[in-house]
């Protein structure tokens, strides 16, 4: 009989790793319901800090800016990323250098990309604002959408495209009636991932936001608030942002898993 290794060391390591990763987040969520004004002293359950967020004009303005940036950047990045994935996957001659160039924004440190974008906008004398944050997030998100859609294209059955063309359908009809429905789950998964990254992104937005509250996003707002100390209101705001990101990421992973099956 083959000797079976005990399961408890693996489970212990698994619990320790997940505890290390998520225990601070669990504490943050718990303290966001703390009735006390002190962020680390529990005095009872309360949702007053969430109610307080609803009447804070600065936070509401930052939330609206974040939503605008995330939605617009996601739409543009999804379209461009999908087209890029199709173009790269259908090229007859594969180029390692071209692929590395396309996916460079994924591996370049955020601070380097942020400085590069700020320098680029400065050279062009572009006034910084929400539009520059959107452009920057499109550049950042595009590679992630492309990678998700390309993963689906790796398992794509091109014989259905050939069958559609043999039956007399043109390129445009074949794309919308055959290719697009098959790629749709991957496109949605890539869009959800791009939305999550855009909502959470801080460094690039901070460098390309410009002056004034008209271009302040939620991560920048949280940073400006936390410089004066952590409060339960910040915990509540961070919990909401984290929940939105987690839901979008889980949906993205679910769709990505289904389209890979």
């Amino acid at each position: 009989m083959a000797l079976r290794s005990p399961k408890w060391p693996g489970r212990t390591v698994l619990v320790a790793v997940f505890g290390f990763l998520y225990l601070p987040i669990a504490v943050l969520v718990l303290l966001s319901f703390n009735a006390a004004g002190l962020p680390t002293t529990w005095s009872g359950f309360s949702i007053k800090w969430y109610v307080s967020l609803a009447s804070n004009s600065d936070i509401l303005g930052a939330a609206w800016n974040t939503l605008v940036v995330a939605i617009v950047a996601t739409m543009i990045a999804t379209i461009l990323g999908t087209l890029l994935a199709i173009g790269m996957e259908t090229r007859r001659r594969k180029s390692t250098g071209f692929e590395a160039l396309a996916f460079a924004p994924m591996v370049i440190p955020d601070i380097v990309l942020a400085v590069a974008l700020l320098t680029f906008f400065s050279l062009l004398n572009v006034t910084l604002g929400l539009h520059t944050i959107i452009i920057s997030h499109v550049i950042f998100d595009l590679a992630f959408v492309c990678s998700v859609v390309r993963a689906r294209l790796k398992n794509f059955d091109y014989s259905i495209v050939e069958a559609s063309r043999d039956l007399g359908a043109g390129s445009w009809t074949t794309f919308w009636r055959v290719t697009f429905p098959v790629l749709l789950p991957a496109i949605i998964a890539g869009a959800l991932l791009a939305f999550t990254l855009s909502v959470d992104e801080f460094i690039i937005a901070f460098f390309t936001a410009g002056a004034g509250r008209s271009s302040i996003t939620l991560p920048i707002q949280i940073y400006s608030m936390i410089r004066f100390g952590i409060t339960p209101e910040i915990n509540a705001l961070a919990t909401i942002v984290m929940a939105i990101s987690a839901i979008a990421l889980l949906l993205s992973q679910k769709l990505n898993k289904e389209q890979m099956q």
Side-chain angles (χ1 to χ4, degrees):
M1 293 180 60
L3 295 177
R4 295 183 179 180
S5 60
K7 295 182 178 180
W8 65 265
R11 291 179 177 177
T12 303
V13 172
L14 187 64
V15 171
V17 170
F18 276 96
F20 177 77
L21 290 174
Y22 295 108
L23 185 58
I25 297 177
V27 172
L28 181 144
V29 174
L30 179 64
L31 291 178
S32 69
F33 295 99
N34 186 12
L38 297 175
T40 56
T41 303
W42 181 263
S43 64
F45 181 87
S46 176
I47 61 170
K48 67 178 182 180
W49 303 112
Y50 290 89
V51 176
S52 176
L53 291 178
S55 59
N56 191 315
S57 59
D58 291 340
I59 292 176
L60 293 178
W64 173 254
N65 290 340
T66 299
L67 191 62
V68 170
V69 169
I71 291 177
V72 177
T74 297
M75 292 175 61
I76 299 174
T78 300
I79 295 173
L80 296 180
T82 301
L83 295 177
L84 178 61
I86 295 173
M88 293 179 65
E89 196 61 29
T90 56
R91 291 177 78 243
R92 294 183 179 180
R93 295 180 59 184
K94 303 297 182 181
S95 173
T96 304
F98 181 74
E99 295 202 7
L101 184 64
F103 294 111
M106 295 177 63
V107 296
I108 294 177
D110 288 358
I111 185 67
V112 175
L113 184 59
V115 172
L117 289 167
L118 176 60
T119 304
F120 177 74
F121 291 137
S122 299
L123 288 175
L124 296 180
N125 292 322
V126 176
T127 303
L128 299 180
L130 280 184
H131 57 287
T132 53
I133 300 179
I134 292 172
I135 294 172
S136 302
H137 280 195
V138 169
I139 296 173
F140 178 70
D141 294 339
L142 193 149
F144 290 92
V145 176
C146 179
S147 64
V148 173
V149 177
R150 279 198 75 187
R152 180 66 184 94
L153 285 169
K154 293 292 183 182
N155 300 318
F156 187 79
D157 184 6
Y158 289 94
S159 63
I160 60 176
V161 175
E162 296 175 359
S164 175
R165 300 298 297 271
D166 291 340
L167 291 173
S171 300
W172 190 252
T173 303
T174 299
F175 175 79
W176 282 112
R177 296 290 183 87
V178 178
T179 307
F180 182 74
V182 176
L183 294 180
L184 185 58
I187 294 174
I188 296 175
L192 290 171
L193 179 59
F195 181 83
T196 302
L197 293 171
S198 186
V199 169
D200 291 344
E201 206 288 316
F202 166 73
I203 297 177
I204 296 176
F206 183 78
F207 274 75
T208 59
R213 295 209 55 84
S214 60
S215 58
I216 297 296
T217 60
L218 271 179
I220 300 176
Q221 177 66 30
I222 292 174
Y223 172 74
S224 64
M225 294 170 62
I226 206 170
R227 287 185 301 171
F228 302 100
I230 300 176
T231 66
E233 192 175 35
I234 295 177
N235 292 336
L237 180 57
T239 300
I240 293 174
V241 174
M242 183 181 61
I244 294 173
S245 301
I247 292 172
L249 185 59
L250 288 173
L251 289 174
S252 173
Q253 292 297 319
K254 180 177 175 59
L255 289 170
N256 205 19
K257 181 179 179 180
E258 290 178 353
Q259 58 97 11
M260 289 297 291
Q261 293 177 349

